[in-house]
Amino acid sequence: AQRKLILITGASGWLCSRLVSFIAGSPDYQGAQIRCLLLPGQDVPELKWSPQIELVYGDLRNPPDCKRFLNNAQDGILFHTAGMIHPRRISELFTVNVGGTQNLLKAAIDADVKRAIIMSSNSPCGVNPHNGHVFDESAEFNPYMGYGKSKMLMEKFVRQVAGSGRIETVIIRAPWFYGPNQPARQTLFFKMIREGKMPIIGGGENRRSMAYIDNLCDGLLLAAKSPNAAGKTYWIADERPYTINEIVTTISVLLSNEFKLSTKNSQPRLPGVISEIAECVDMSLQKLGLYNQKIHVLSEMNKTIACSINKAKSELGYNPSVDLKEGMRRSIKWVLEKGYEI
């Protein structure tokens, strides 16, 4: 059945602009109205290409804004992709990721929204106990730092709401994602690899699940339309996890062989203890309510964060068609076409 209204939070994020073009191009949603929530003062030119798209300005932390965003949204489908990842202060993780989601879902229930697809992360489960381990949907909560804790509390609230039977919910857990429209921090990652400045910590054989952005959009749309997904949680990622060495080598080879950019083919290798020290510093800062993005990223660099997508494949029919090499090829091409420096 054709759905008349799609609602998306986090419209300034790179996932949202990709998701909007996926929905607009999907036969399932032909002619649907797409309503996007932006923070006041934000401008996203990528969202202004179609009369199908309506922009609403508001803040999830403000319940009247949520109510206004969900005005006349009966039977609509809500994609909640907004979230705070790298805050200035730790408290923002909880006011946005937990409080904002609570405000949004309360307003969605009042508006008789049919289904909410909630974007979560690998962080409520933390890091894998050893390199050969993969998380599936039965994994216990073991949140990594403040962000993980905020997403865990958010997921618990979503489950509670699902149990009330007043709205259908689906939780999507996505790991590190990549692809066109990527933020500057991802382009910096390419630049560091090209210049031979990307530190590989602790051997680089630790594995990371990654999600190419189009694979993730596919997963989100499947979660929206699959009748038996209601009330469930799914991991959505590429077909398999990749080692850090494989990720770095893939990017390095693409930069030099396909894009003909002079690239240093070796990176500094540092002992695993560097990440352990960063983790201690990160924890100490977060206890004080402070956050440093570089230290946080460094603390994770020797960890394995890997998941299995078997449940999404068998229940949703999810089939990630893009792998690391093709996904990174498209990402680099996008960066160069935009005129950004690698």
Side-chain angles (χ1 to χ4, degrees):
Q2 189 176 312
R3 301 257 161 73
K4 293 183 291 294
L5 180 64
I6 309 293
L7 305 117
I8 309 178
T9 67
S12 63
W14 58 312
L15 173 60
C16 174
S17 52
R18 201 71 179 167
L19 186 60
V20 166
S21 53
F22 255 65
I23 290 167
S26 161
D28 291 336
Y29 299 107
Q30 221 168 359
Q33 186 191 3
I34 304 169
R35 187 186 296 167
C36 298
L37 184 68
L38 281 160
L39 278 168
Q42 280 183 335
D43 183 40
V44 183
E46 292 89 6
L47 292 175
K48 292 182 175 165
W49 54 272
S50 165
Q52 263 181 280
I53 302 165
E54 175 195 356
L55 301 181
V56 174
Y57 291 87
D59 191 317
L60 292 170
R61 291 169 286 197
N62 185 7
D65 286 1
C66 293
K67 195 175 161 65
R68 199 162 41 81
F69 172 58
L70 292 162
N71 189 30
N72 293 332
Q74 189 177 2
D75 285 336
I77 298 288
L78 169 64
F79 291 94
H80 177 35
T81 73
M84 177 68 76
I85 303 175
H86 298 298
R88 282 192 294 276
R89 300 188 70 83
I90 293 301
S91 57
E92 293 175 313
L93 292 170
F94 296 90
T95 54
V96 175
N97 297 344
V98 187
T101 304
Q102 289 172 342
N103 294 338
L104 182 71
L105 283 181
K106 284 171 186 163
I109 288 167
D110 291 344
D112 284 328
V113 166
K114 179 175 170 58
R115 180 174 286 192
I117 295 89
I118 312 288
M119 192 69 189
S120 188
S121 138
N122 49 261
S123 60
C125 296
V127 299
N128 300 79
H130 57 84
N131 200 17
H133 180 270
V134 287
F135 290 124
D136 63 16
E137 288 72 8
S138 67
E140 308 249 322
F141 286 126
N142 183 24
Y144 190 74
M145 306 274 184
Y147 177 69
K149 195 173 174 196
S150 74
K151 287 290 195 178
M152 173 187 78
L153 294 172
M154 180 195 82
E155 284 196 15
K156 286 183 168 177
F157 175 75
V158 172
R159 287 180 188 183
Q160 206 180 317
V161 166
S164 74
R166 295 175 65 197
I167 185 171
E168 294 179 359
T169 66
V170 187
I171 295 171
I172 296 294
R173 288 188 186 146
W176 175 8
F177 52 92
Y178 64 104
N181 298 352
Q182 62 184 28
R185 63 175 184 269
Q186 207 99 337
T187 305
L188 177 65
F189 176 57
F190 293 166
K191 192 176 165 67
M192 287 172 78
I193 291 172
R194 186 186 169 194
E195 292 173 353
K197 292 178 183 166
M198 179 66 212
I200 292 177
I201 297 178
E205 285 304 300
N206 53 310
R207 299 185 308 151
R208 298 294 288 262
S209 282
M210 296 181 75
Y212 180 64
I213 200 159
D214 292 5
N215 293 342
L216 183 50
C217 289
D218 275 337
L220 286 164
L221 291 188
L222 288 166
K225 74 176 187 183
S226 170
N228 42 3
K232 293 184 182 171
T233 298
Y234 295 96
W235 287 94
I236 295 289
D238 291 358
E239 184 67 44
R240 63 176 178 87
Y242 313 109
T243 66
I244 295 293
N245 287 331
E246 183 183 3
I247 295 165
V248 171
T249 304
T250 300
I251 294 166
S252 176
V253 168
L254 284 167
L255 289 170
S256 59
N257 292 6
E258 294 198 20
F259 294 94
K260 307 297 180 212
L261 296 169
S262 60
T263 305
K264 295 217 168 110
N265 60 8
S266 69
Q267 309 295 333
R269 293 191 171 261
L270 301 171
V273 70
I274 301 278
S275 280
E276 307 307 328
I277 293 166
E279 187 178 346
C280 294
V281 175
D282 192 11
M283 281 171 92
S284 306
L285 283 173
Q286 293 204 20
K287 281 189 177 127
L288 298 170
L290 305 172
Y291 180 83
N292 180 295
Q293 183 178 337
K294 287 193 171 107
I295 290 171
H296 181 74
V297 170
L298 188 58
S299 80
E300 288 185 325
M301 281 181 59
N302 70 337
K303 314 278 191 285
T304 287
I305 303 172
C307 67
S308 157
I309 56 168
N310 289 342
K311 184 179 171 189
K313 288 170 80 171
S314 64
E315 294 189 10
L316 300 178
Y318 172 63
N319 179 26
S321 56
V322 181
D323 67 358
L324 180 72
K325 187 175 181 184
E326 178 55 30
M328 285 300 179
R329 179 184 286 126
R330 294 180 193 181
S331 305
I332 295 166
K333 187 168 182 265
W334 176 85
V335 170
L336 294 172
E337 281 174 357
K338 282 280 175 193
Y340 299 135
E341 194 190 334
I342 294 182

